[in-house]
Amino acid sequence: MTDCIFCKIISGDIPGDIVYQDDDVLAFRDLTPQAPMHVLVIPKKHISTINDIQPEDAALIGKMFLAAQQVAKEEGYTERGYRTVMNCNAEAGQSVFHIHLHVLAGRAMHWPPG
Ligand code: AMP
């Protein structure tokens, strides 16, 4: 999608601090990190919100979690722990409308989230 900032990171039109990619997903560091590690995992296919995920995307969504697992492992957080978050629409705090899995680690996380 031409006006999507994350599609532009996928295409290389704008830079991203990429930490993992394969044929289906890309992971890069968040511009405004909320934890010592804050990576966003996105599908290379444009999907605007969780509401737009289709049954045929099920494997793709699973690959996003496998990428998150891989990044956490490479950065040494497998045992310490990490949090994955995906916001859907405005009230949940979604600001970029290309689904992304936040992967946060390196500090104690609070519950419930704000
Ligand atoms: P959300 O508010 O859940 O939609 O999360 C969007 C995230 O994208 C925020 O944490 C932003 O800091 C991050 N973000 C926005 N633009 C960029 C960018 N060009 N590169 C990396 N992260 C970005």
Side-chain angles (χ1 to χ4, degrees):
M1 186 175 274
T2 51
D3 60 350
C4 170
I5 192 165
F6 286 175
C7 284
K8 287 179 181 166
I9 292 176
I10 293 165
S11 66
D13 289 337
I14 67 167
D17 187 356
I18 293 168
V19 295
Y20 173 87
Q21 73 171 310
D22 59 31
D23 288 345
D24 301 305
V25 305
L26 182 71
F28 53 94
R29 295 192 194 282
D30 197 293
L31 263 188
T32 54
Q34 302 301 313
M37 182 187 83
H38 187 173
V39 167
L40 302 174
V41 179
I42 65 173
K44 291 187 173 177
K45 173 185 176 182
H46 182 89
I47 301 172
S48 297
T49 78
I50 293 175
N51 294 331
D52 300 300
I53 296 170
Q54 301 300 315
E56 60 266 27
D57 298 321
L60 178 60
I61 304 306
K63 286 178 180 178
M64 291 173 67
F65 279 91
L66 289 171
Q69 178 196 82
Q70 179 70 23
V71 170
K73 182 178 180 185
E74 283 172 4
E75 305 227 349
Y77 292 112
T78 298
E79 300 306 326
R80 274 180 72 181
Y82 52 97
R83 179 169 290 178
T84 57
V85 176
M86 191 183 290
N87 299 319
C88 182
N89 278 337
E91 196 165 345
Q94 185 174 6
S95 60
V96 177
F97 287 83
H98 180 131
I99 59 168
H100 46 282
L101 190 62
H102 294 263
V103 188
L104 303 125
R107 64 169 173 80
M109 301 289 164
H110 304 291
W111 194 264

